Amino acid sequence: MLNQEAIRRHLEATLPMASPGYRVDANETIAMARQLEYFFAKIYEVEYPLTEWRKLIPIDTSVPTGAQAHTFRMFDQVGSAKIVTTYAEDLPLVDATGKEYANPIRSIGAAFFLSIQDIRAAAMLGIDLDTRKANTARDVIERKIDALAAVGDVASGLPSLALNGDVTVLNGAGVTGGTDLTGNWSAASATQIQADLEKLTKVPFDQTLGIHGGTDRKLTVVLPTTLYSLLATKRLDSFNMVTLLEYLEAHLPFVGEITSWARLNTIGKLAGANTGGNRIVVFSKDPDVVSAIVPQDFEMLPMQPKSLGYYVPCHMRFGGVVTRYPKAMVYADGC
């Protein structure tokens, strides 16, 4: 959030009255400055809109905003120890091998227009300058990144949470030839759905030898909203008022959270995996496992005079969602 001193400097650099030949009286100058100072402060004080990516994915802001790409190195250990004698000279050699993974960083932008008459009218009437345009600019940027965090962008090379070729995929009945899971939850019993989720969440635990899914690193299950609402309204049985969702949250051994994301409702079609189109994502919400790269969070750039008003560019930098340990994740299609 901008502090008051930063806002003041921003206004001094961008206010219309700073332009040569722009003539207004002193009172109008002061009134307009106060309006814009409030305007900029208000935008930065409003909470971020309720897009899901910020709640679901750990955010990494450590990459400098000027970077054009980001790289992480994955190291592996090679070799093993053995029992040796006191004077042994044939100790086994060990080594560490590494591989680099590079991804691009892209700018995401939108803009809005403030007319000089709107600013003057608000100053004259003593009312606050309407912030809806600026909020809309920020909202559309947030929604764009929400989509990119889910499905990425092939043309731009941005990686995503739910379309990673290194993650294991289990297929249910909704996929041609899918036999890994029962699937088709709308027609499945509570017992079958529970069995599917138990099998699904067991995969990261087994693949990481119990590192992810254990007591300190529970898994997050992200469902399409269509499946989440099904579990939230389906009773455990005809004699029990407990919903299947409530029961599963309390009894799945490797799971710490079950939530939803509308972006997963049709993502399976993008993956070319199934006819139903939905995809379940199970992952360890550990920043070492997965993180969204945000070198530059939302910012409003200096206002630019244009016609009878001011053009205000807005900007973010996004490097996609990096998955460093794909074995701590699993997908399910056709449920």
Side-chain angles (χ1 to χ4, degrees):
M1 182 185 299
L2 290 180
N3 58 34
Q4 293 298 313
E5 179 61 22
I7 294 171
R8 185 188 63 77
R9 291 197 301 269
H10 181 83
L11 292 173
E12 287 178 350
T14 60
L15 279 175
M17 50 291 274
S19 302
Y22 192 95
R23 300 174 63 88
V24 292
D25 61 41
N27 290 335
E28 185 179 3
T29 299
I30 294 171
M32 290 174 67
R34 287 175 178 169
Q35 279 294 314
L36 291 174
E37 182 172 356
Y38 166 82
F39 178 83
F40 279 95
K42 183 67 174 177
I43 296 306
Y44 280 87
E45 287 170 2
V46 175
E47 294 182 356
Y48 281 101
L50 294 177
T51 46
E52 297 299 320
W53 73 279
R54 289 186 182 270
K55 296 187 294 182
L56 290 173
I57 308 169
I59 296 175
D60 183 349
T61 59
S62 63
V63 178
T65 188
Q68 297 297 323
H70 58 95
T71 302
F72 72 91
R73 297 175 178 85
M74 179 64 70
F75 291 94
D76 195 8
Q77 298 173 346
V78 179
S80 60
K82 71 176 184 179
I83 298 174
V84 297
T85 62
T86 304
Y87 301 102
E89 296 182 357
D90 60 341
L91 298 178
L93 290 175
V94 299
D95 200 356
T97 61
K99 184 178 180 181
E100 289 190 347
Y101 298 84
N103 291 289
I105 299 171
R106 304 300 184 190
S107 290
I108 314 296
F112 63 96
F113 186 79
L114 288 174
S115 74
I116 189 64
Q117 189 57 35
D118 288 340
I119 300 173
R120 283 174 167 170
M124 180 188 72
L125 298 173
I127 60 175
D128 298 330
L129 191 62
D130 193 346
T131 60
R132 282 178 293 183
K133 292 180 181 180
N135 283 331
T136 299
R138 193 187 60 192
D139 288 352
V140 298
I141 290 177
E142 282 287 312
R143 289 196 294 272
K144 179 63 176 179
I145 294 181
D146 194 64
L148 291 173
V151 304
D153 183 80
V154 175
S156 298
L158 289 175
S160 67
L161 179 70
L163 286 178
N164 187 314
D166 295 326
V167 175
T168 300
V169 183
L170 299 187
N171 294 315
V175 179
T176 303
T179 57
D180 298 321
L181 305 170
T182 299
N184 190 19
W185 285 4
S186 59
S189 67
T191 301
Q192 289 172 321
I193 294 173
Q194 180 179 350
D196 276 356
L197 282 173
E198 286 175 346
K199 185 173 184 179
L200 187 62
T201 55
K202 184 175 177 290
V203 171
F205 184 82
D206 288 346
Q207 288 185 156
T208 62
L209 302 180
I211 295 174
H212 298 281
T215 304
D216 297 328
R217 293 183 176 179
K218 293 289 188 180
L219 301 173
T220 295
V221 178
V222 189
L223 301 173
T225 55
T226 51
L227 297 184
Y228 185 87
S229 63
L230 174 68
L231 299 191
T233 56
K234 188 179 183 68
R235 301 297 175 186
L236 197 59
D237 54 54
S238 57
F239 305 101
N240 199 322
M241 292 303 292
V242 175
T243 66
L244 184 54
L245 178 62
E246 292 170 328
Y247 180 82
L248 292 172
E249 286 179 323
H251 292 89
L252 288 174
F254 310 125
V255 174
E257 176 188 16
I258 300 177
T259 186
S260 64
W261 197 2
R263 301 286 181 187
L264 303 183
N265 288 352
T266 57
I267 200 171
K269 293 179 181 178
L270 295 174
N274 65 77
T275 55
N278 62 45
R279 167 164 282 186
I280 300 171
V281 178
V282 178
F283 71 105
S284 174
K285 195 185 289 187
D286 182 333
D288 289 337
V289 173
V290 60
S291 57
I293 306 301
V294 184
Q296 175 61 57
D297 218 322
F298 177 81
E299 62 178 346
M300 288 192 295
L301 301 180
M303 295 184 294
Q304 302 171 11
K306 185 175 182 180
S307 186
L308 295 177
Y310 294 89
Y311 174 83
V312 185
C314 301
H315 175 249
M316 276 187 70
R317 297 275 285 164
F318 186 60
V321 177
V322 173
T323 303
R324 299 177 180 87
Y325 294 96
K327 295 299 183 183
M329 296 179 62
V330 64
Y331 300 148
D333 291 334
C335 290

